[in-house]
């Protein structure tokens, strides 16, 4: 972790002042847990993992004072540690991210829940009766920055996925996203034509993001 922090400090020195450098993003926190437990790493521990992420988050925002920092805090080893990291992120002006973004139809079907532990803490929602939210709904103070991958659009999966229009509604209504990074899938997809870039772009043009104001939690 010390080496990883030093890397991001150097990246901040090089790119924080670059106006074309929009954001720096850390992919799903769950991969660390999965890889470590799956490979039976003898030095892995959930509490240490949380501390490492907090140290990385704090160091990266210091290194990038004028750049968006995104963490896709999906799942740690326990719900509580996931909630604790999400709150720490928000306190350090880190944008909640997600590798998978679902349509509003899924959110409505699940009573307003979002699709991972971290995002549910972001919106102040209990994970379960055993794991109540630790903090309030932060959507009025901080915006999410999320990715839309091929499977979310029904490509490379047996799932039908969600239409770009359905996802667009969710971006504004439930995720309150200021940034949405769509996977470019070209225009030759026959299994899910709605995922072709021409159709995605047409939807984006009709459904601009509504939460692009300066986040209250930023300095």
């Amino acid at each position: 972790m010390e080496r990883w922090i030093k890397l991001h400090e150097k990246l901040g020195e090089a790119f924080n002042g670059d106006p074309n450098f929009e954001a720096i993003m850390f992919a799903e926190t769950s991969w660390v847990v999965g890889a470590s437990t799956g490979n039976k790493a003898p030095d892995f521990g959930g509490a240490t993992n949380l501390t490492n992420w907090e140290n990385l988050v704090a160091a990266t925002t210091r290194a990038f004072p004028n750049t968006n920092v995104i963490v896709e805090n999906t799942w740690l080893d326990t719900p509580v540690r996931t909630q604790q990291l999400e709150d720490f992120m928000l306190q350090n002006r880190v944008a909640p991210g997600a590798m998978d973004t679902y349509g509003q139809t899924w959110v409505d079907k699940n009573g307003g829940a979002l699709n991972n532990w971290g995002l549910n803490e972001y919106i102040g929602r209990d994970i379960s009766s055993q794991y109540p939210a630790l903090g309030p709904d932060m959507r009025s103070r901080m915006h999410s920055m999320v990715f839309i991958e091929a499977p979310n659009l029904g490509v490379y999966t047996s799932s039908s996925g969600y239409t770009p229009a359905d996802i667009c509604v969710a971006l504004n209504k439930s995720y309150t996203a200021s940034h949405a990074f769509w996977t470019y899938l070209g225009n030759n997809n026959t299994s899910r034509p709605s995922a072709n870039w021409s159709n995605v772009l047409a939807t984006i043009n009709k459904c601009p993001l509504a939460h692009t104001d300066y986040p209250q939690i930023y300095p």
Side-chain angles (χ1 to χ4, degrees):
M1 181 53 67
E2 290 176 357
R3 294 175 64 191
W4 210 16
I5 286 173
K6 289 178 180 178
L7 169 63
H8 288 88
E9 288 172 343
K10 292 297 183 182
L11 288 171
E13 289 178 14
F15 296 109
N16 178 67
D18 187 336
N20 294 314
F21 199 98
E22 181 69 14
I24 187 164
M25 184 274 292
F26 294 97
E28 290 187 85
T29 55
S30 59
W31 76 264
V32 178
V33 178
S36 299
T37 56
N39 289 296
K40 295 179 171 54
D43 58 344
F44 177 79
T48 301
N49 183 48
L50 172 61
T51 299
N52 282 341
W53 273 108
E54 290 176 345
N55 290 339
L56 177 64
V57 163
T60 303
T61 52
R62 286 195 301 268
F64 285 93
N66 309 107
T67 304
N68 295 308
V69 178
I70 311 166
V71 174
E72 295 177 345
N73 177 32
T74 48
W75 292 277
L76 294 183
D77 63 314
T78 66
V80 170
R81 278 195 269 266
T82 309
Q83 293 169 316
Q84 290 171 335
L85 177 57
E86 195 78 8
D87 289 345
F88 186 88
M89 288 163 44
L90 294 168
Q91 293 164 15
N92 286 271
R93 64 100 178 155
V94 175
M99 186 58 71
D100 292 301
T101 304
Y102 291 1
Q104 187 62 36
T105 54
W106 187 94
V107 178
D108 292 342
K109 184 178 179 180
N110 287 274
L114 295 183
N115 51 294
N116 63 57
W117 290 345
L119 286 178
N120 279 315
E121 176 65 17
Y122 162 58
I123 67 172
R125 185 181 179 88
D126 299 349
I127 292 174
S128 68
S129 58
Q130 186 179 359
Y131 300 106
L134 302 182
D137 188 337
M138 293 295 288
R139 285 176 289 188
S140 65
R141 300 191 61 205
M142 184 62 171
H143 309 312
S144 67
M145 302 184 185
V146 297
F147 281 70
I148 300 97
E149 293 193 292
N152 307 147
L153 296 164
V155 180
Y156 311 137
T157 177
S158 59
S159 168
S160 60
Y162 308 94
T163 66
D166 191 12
I167 292 173
C168 249
V169 173
L171 292 173
N172 285 331
K173 183 177 180 180
S174 297
Y175 292 94
T176 58
S178 64
H179 294 62
F181 305 99
W182 296 77
T183 301
Y184 175 78
L185 298 173
N187 286 302
N188 298 315
N189 176 38
T190 56
S191 64
R192 294 286 186 271
S194 63
N196 287 338
W197 183 245
S198 58
N199 293 324
V200 171
L201 186 60
T203 298
I204 292 172
N205 288 334
K206 293 178 182 178
C207 177
L209 294 177
H211 300 282
T212 57
D213 53 302
Y214 194 80
Q216 293 180 21
I217 210 165
Y218 276 24

